[in-house]
Every structure is written in structure tokens, then in C-alpha cells.
Amino acid sequence: MEILDITRELCTAIQENELYKAFAAAKKANDEDKALQDLIGEFNLLRMNVSQAMQDPNADEEKKQEYNTKLQDCYKKIMQNESMIAY
């Protein structure tokens, strides 16, 4: 048996495994969850704001803290989302 044949069989076996099926279903649910995707987009924008503020030596410390707090709050919302919990 060739290595490619063995690899194909392994891939097929993995895809038939219940754990893989559960993972794939959870991933699909995440991808289709508009509220979750909006939160992830918001998180990414906040992360960029925090990064820029941290690199700016003249940035207001209060503004840095505000960005950081918003980032943490958004992260908590993401992690409390039912689709993300299942994933």
C-alpha cells in the first residue's frame, strides 16, 4: 500500500470520528453566528486600538485603560457566546 493511500484512509477515518464531526459542527455554528462574528470583528478593532495606544509614548494613560477595559469586556462577551462555548 502506498503512503498516499494510507494517508487518504487516515483522513477518511478522522472525518468519520464523532469528535471530528462535533468539532466541524461547532466550527460551522461559529462561522454562521452573526452576533459572534460581529463581536470578533469588534474585538479585532479594539485590539488594534490598544496596540496603537501602547506604542504611542504620548498616548493618554486614561485612554489606554479605556481601550483595554473595552477589549476585556468584548473578550468576555465572545467567550460567553453559546457558539463559542460549544466550539
Side-chain angles (χ1 to χ4, degrees):
M1 184 172 270
E2 296 286 323
I3 189 75
L4 291 177
D5 295 330
I6 295 169
T7 304
R8 282 188 194 100
E9 286 181 22
L10 177 60
C11 289
T12 300
I14 289 171
Q15 291 174 343
E16 291 173 358
N17 183 281
E18 292 305 315
L19 289 174
Y20 178 82
K21 289 177 183 179
F23 164 75
K27 182 181 182 316
K28 185 175 189 270
N30 268 5
D31 292 345
E32 294 174 352
D33 186 330
K34 180 166 176 15
L36 177 59
Q37 293 305 313
D38 289 347
L39 282 170
I40 291 170
E42 179 184 346
F43 178 84
N44 288 329
L45 289 174
L46 289 167
R47 187 172 46 87
M48 288 187 325
N49 288 339
V50 167
S51 179
Q52 288 174 349
M54 294 300 177
Q55 293 175 5
D56 182 358
N58 301 319
D60 179 15
E61 288 300 318
E62 192 172 304
K63 196 68 167 173
K64 288 180 184 180
Q65 184 59 39
E66 179 185 335
Y67 283 146
N68 197 39
T69 300
K70 286 181 179 180
L71 183 70
Q72 290 175 359
D73 290 345
C74 187
Y75 179 79
K76 288 176 187 174
K77 288 178 187 175
I78 289 169
M79 298 313 288
Q80 292 171 350
N81 177 286
E82 292 299 321
S83 295
M84 183 58 80
I85 291 168
Y87 183 70

